[in-house]
Amino acid sequence: MNHSYGGRFAGRTALVTGGGSGIGAALTGALAAAGADVRCADIDVAAAERVVGAIDGPGKAVAVALDVTDAEAVRAAVDDIVAESGSIDLIFNNAGIFIGGETQLLTLEQWNRIIDINLRGVVHGVHAAYPHMIAARGGHIVNTASAAGLMASGLLTSYCATKFAVVGLSDALRSEAVGHGIGVTVVCPSAVETPILDSGKVGSFPGRSFLLGAEKSTRAYPPDRLAAEILAAVAANRSRVVVPRRTRIGWYLNRIAPRVIERRLNAYVREQVAASRAND
Ligand SMILES: NC(=O)c1ccc[n+]([C@@H]2O[C@H](COP(=O)([O-])OP(=O)(O)OC[C@H]3O[C@@H](n4cnc5c(N)ncnc54)[C@H](O)[C@@H]3O)[C@@H](O)[C@H]2O)c1
């Protein structure tokens, strides 16, 4: 897919966290293709280098080693962009991990880790970039949450907790940032075809099939398509990206008929717990 987005990204500076894989890698590629100057940041710098190595412009992409749980390192990565280019125009707080399984099996270390990466990582990005954007009277902050940040589900408690927080942070900030000429967009997809779908299992939780089965989907969303939709949403200054369409419908039903959805979800979670225990 090759979009110009009305020239909105040409020559703009962008930081993408978790850029070494999945959605972040697709965002890095889409931004560079639209002419942006991108820092592709990841805790796995070799992965970020592979992503950057596959990019052929017209924008530039540079790999950066960055752990989003390290507030000072996030600040330094943002300050570097401002020192070199004069401004940070876009930040994509996208790095994240997944943990799924029965809540009583989660360790406190797992709870703290997912909060540190998925929530504090976003806070660190906002805290570092927002003041520069205020000074420049413009910019756009994009936070990757999840459909699990709009609709809660058993077996995803720690993940939902962090993603609901990211949606709340983003919506709250959006109403304040507009006064400074700054946009905020929160990204809420259901299952996207990335390595995260096969990670983070606690016990015999069947991550990929649980997430797909919750929406009766057979295929996860393509990350390149999502990245193009995110950039289109930024160009149009939309508050949310909720995909695919069946997720938007589910989210709507969740608000108008919460009891019906709750009964369906309870039955699904019960069935999934029984199936995963049978595999133990
Ligand atoms: N794939 C999905 O189904 C899906 C759905 C909804 C939301 N999301 C969200 O999208 C975001 C990106 O996930 P993805 O699906 O591309 O997964 P992914 O595993 O493909 O990519 C995540 C990247 O984040 C990096 N990362 C992990 N911890 C980090 C840290 N402390 N500092 C910096 N980088 C770190 C990883 O090295 C990896 O490259 C996450 O926030 C995830 O929760 C994913």
Side-chain angles (χ1 to χ4, degrees), residues 21 23 42-43 66-68 94 144-145 159 163 189 191-192 194-196:
S21 174
I23 298 167
D42 205 289
I43 195 165
L66 180 65
D67 177 353
V68 296
N94 166 79
T144 308
Y159 190 69
K163 296 302 188 179
V192 181
T194 78
I196 215 174

